[in-house]
Amino acid sequence: MSEVRVRFAPSPTGPLHIGGVRTALYNYLFAKNKGGKIILRIEDTDQSRFIEGAEQYIIKSLKWCGIEFDESIVDGGNYGPYKQSERKELYLPYAEQLVKDDFAYYAFDTTEELLAMRERMKAAGVPSPQYNSVTRTTMQNSLALSEDEVQMRMDAGETYVIRIKMPRNEEIKLNDIIRGWVVVNTNNMDDKVIFKSDGLPTYHLANVVDDYMMKISHVIRGEEWLPSAPLHVLLYRYLGWEDSMPKFAHLPLILKPDGNGKLSKRDGDKLGFPVFPTQWVNPETKEISSGYKESGYNVEAFINMLSFLGWNPGTTQEIFSMQGLIDAFSLERVGRAGAKFDFDKTRWFNQQYLRSKSKEKLAQELQIILKENGVEAEDNFVETVCDQLKERATFVKDMWEEGKYYFSAPTNYDEKTIRKKWKEDTPKYVSELKAKLADLSDFSSENIEIEFKKYLEENELGMGILLPAFRVCLTGLGMGPSLFDIASLLGKEETIKRMETALEKIN
Ligand code: GLU
């Protein structure tokens, strides 16, 4: 088999949403699994949809994802340039060739004329009129006009587009790796513009020419491009490239969590979770859309979650490193049905990754947040804090938000706990316990626990009476990790001090 070469071909019309990142990821996994190459090509021929900063955003966010390209606008390669606007001159000869071979034609119709045709057809009972083999005969194009007229119009500088001449009643077949045979009758297809009056090709022509010239072996892209695929097949045929046509694989849609429709760029934040890999600032409105990176997600968790939106390994394994995904990935295991986005599962993945990290690594990340909050703490201390809190956290920032008491004494005491657990006798118990603890020479978690339980036994008290009170003294909260671990880490002096303060402040 010839070399596997795939491409990710975004248009810089805005930030890349997770559907786009998933397409890039599957291309990457497929290429690496097959020992092939992945190319990043920027498809920017539709200048009316150009968005400032989108291209840089795409490059930066894919980099954060760890999706590396073998050839791209950044790194170059043997098949460049990799940006369509820089390949401008390349496309017209192919469009002209198609006209010469009678597979395409020039069309001079103005917007008003196109509109009038649609109105006419609608009035005649055609629900969705198209520029096609029937209507083209009534329009201003090189098939309907005389050769002289066409030449005259061109000489006069009239603007025109080039349209594909869609044949009548032909079945176009393509064997999609994911969807199987797809058959479309050309009667349902229109004479698409392949070259625009601004001197640039449309997506269809540029995409096919570039895939051919860049020797792309597999086109892996979102399902929304499936309706365009038959046209692409025809273009390969008409350009005489059918033998080197890439194989197609159209990926299932990513659906909203309730399964009702495609997850869109606009759903981000509206549904309470990011739909972009990294934060996007709209250059015009300055509106900020949140990203997984800035929301504290681990990139491995993000990639792991994305990989499962449409693919599964066929086993119960859920946690995969990028290399693990490369090894396990195949297009045969990509489903056809839309994949519902599951935000809870995304958080779950992050939790799994957080738990699997060493305390040293977590401490490094927590230290950054501590510094931002003006907290200074020894690495050793922070490592133990991470050890104690990591089972309860989804994000590193949770360890700060839920564990502030490790770094400073509580100033407030959880009202509910006080109401329910701080009884008349509680101050007496707390001060007696405090005296016992003050006598401990070994302030290890185990010893504190033994001492605590001994005190309960001697006084015939249940855990539920004193433990919450003890906890609220040390942390201000009603819940948290093992209190004996916390006390031991805080040390005897601090523990005693916090108990004293609580005794003064509560009541
Ligand atoms: N430029 C298209 C996009 O924005 C690429 C579609 C394809 O991969 O053919 O998604």
Side-chain angles (χ1 to χ4, degrees), residues 7 9-11 43 203 207 221 225:
R7 83 303 192 273
S11 297
E43 300 206 325
Y203 154 73
N207 188 268
R221 62 184 172 194
W225 300 103

Side-chain angles (χ1 to χ4, degrees), residues 340-367:
K340 266 192 233 166
F341 181 75
D342 181 348
F343 189 55
D344 291 336
K345 191 76 192 184
T346 307
R347 292 172 57 88
W348 178 85
F349 272 114
N350 209 61
Q351 207 173 26
Q352 302 308 308
Y353 276 89
L354 190 129
R355 286 182 191 171
S356 69
K357 280 195 187 177
S358 69
K359 59 179 183 185
E360 290 81 10
K361 181 81 195 54
L362 288 174
Q364 269 172 19
E365 292 178 32
L366 183 55
Q367 280 285 24

Side-chain angles (χ1 to χ4, degrees), residues 50-66:
F50 176 83
I51 297 282
E52 187 69 43
E55 186 181 307
Q56 292 78 351
Y57 173 91
I58 291 168
I59 292 169
K60 257 177 56 191
S61 59
L62 290 172
K63 198 167 175 164
W64 176 68
C65 293

Side-chain angles (χ1 to χ4, degrees), residues 7-11 13 23 41 43 203 207 211 219-222 224-225 232:
R7 83 303 192 273
F8 178 56
S11 297
T13 53
T23 300
R41 182 173 77 220
E43 300 206 325
Y203 154 73
N207 188 268
D211 282 349
V219 166
I220 305 168
R221 62 184 172 194
E224 61 273 30
W225 300 103
H232 298 176

Side-chain angles (χ1 to χ4, degrees), residues 2-3 33 41 43-44 65 117 142 150 184-185 190 206 209 214 218 269 314 344 368 375 402-403 429 464-465 506:
S2 58
E3 193 194 12
N33 178 280
R41 182 173 77 220
E43 300 206 325
D44 59 346
C65 293
M117 178 267 277
S142 58
V150 170
V184 178
N185 189 292
D190 62 340
V209 168
M214 295 180 180
H218 296 76
D269 299 323
D344 291 336
I368 297 170
V375 175
E402 284 160 29
Y429 300 144
I465 303 283
I506 304 175

